[in-house]
Amino acid sequence: MYMLKKVLYVLGGILLVGFLVNLCSGESKKSSTSADSTQTSTVSSSTSSQEESKYTYSEKVDEMTDGKVKLASITSDNTIELEFPYGDCALTYTIRKSSKGDNDVFLRISSGQFIGNEFTGDNYVMVRFDSLPATKYFFVNASDGSTDVVFLKNVKDFIAKAKQAKEVKIEATLFDAGSRLFRFSTPQPLVWD
């Protein structure tokens, strides 16, 4: 009986050591596999992000002329918090080419209101493309009286710079919030003809 207990202890110890060895070697294989898959997914996601633009391109048909209207839009990376009733707020700028070939650039705020008056000369936003100096772009209000949309003047200059820039910053004056900065970044600049 005493001898049987010794044999069982020895066999149990050998099995335990074997189990621990397998467990440790399995963990090291697992950790190297997960590190490899993490590295692979990081590489593949950085490759795809280099190619993908954050601009959204679309076309629609002008129902009056049956001509094509082209659009390119991008929304700010950051949002700002505005006082009640507005809340969280993002900025989108859109380049639009009409069926006649004319370009517009308009800014739309997701909540809040743009402030600026053409008569007092404070109807502008400041825009910085990459490391270029900030430029003042004057705007006109929407013809329907909307205060969440403004149309920029000097459209050609804006589009030409956006076609080169991977980072754009727009500072706009908002109702009851003062000047606020919105940042846009994209791996690929605007593609526009």
Side-chain angles (χ1 to χ4, degrees), residues 53 55-60 68-74 93-99 101-106 155-156 158-164 188-193:
S53 175
Y55 283 96
T56 303
Y57 298 93
S58 60
E59 280 188 0
K60 64 181 184 178
K68 287 184 182 177
V69 177
K70 290 176 147 185
L71 300 161
S73 296
I74 188 169
Y93 71 81
T94 302
I95 295 97
R96 176 177 64 187
K97 180 178 277 190
S98 72
S99 57
D102 300 325
N103 285 316
D104 290 315
V105 176
F106 59 93
V155 171
K156 285 183 183 178
F158 186 97
I159 292 173
K161 289 178 179 172
K163 286 168 70 172
Q164 304 296 318
Q188 296 297 322
L190 171 69
V191 177
W192 201 252
D193 55 352

Side-chain angles (χ1 to χ4, degrees), residues 80-153:
I80 59 168
E81 184 69 31
L82 297 177
E83 295 290 323
F84 179 82
Y86 301 114
D88 220 20
C89 167
L91 181 68
T92 300
Y93 71 81
T94 302
I95 295 97
R96 176 177 64 187
K97 180 178 277 190
S98 72
S99 57
K100 296 177 184 176
D102 300 325
N103 285 316
D104 290 315
V105 176
F106 59 93
L107 310 178
R108 180 181 302 273
I109 195 117
S110 63
S111 61
Q113 301 176 52
F114 289 103
I115 293 291
N117 188 316
E118 198 168 355
F119 298 110
T120 57
D122 61 355
N123 60 322
Y124 66 87
V125 294
M126 296 299 292
V127 183
R128 185 169 190 197
F129 296 92
D130 289 332
S131 60
L132 295 174
T135 304
K136 193 181 280 189
Y137 285 88
F138 286 92
F139 63 77
V140 294
N141 293 5
S143 58
D144 67 357
S146 299
T147 56
D148 63 337
V149 177
V150 293
F151 288 81
L152 299 185
K153 298 181 176 183

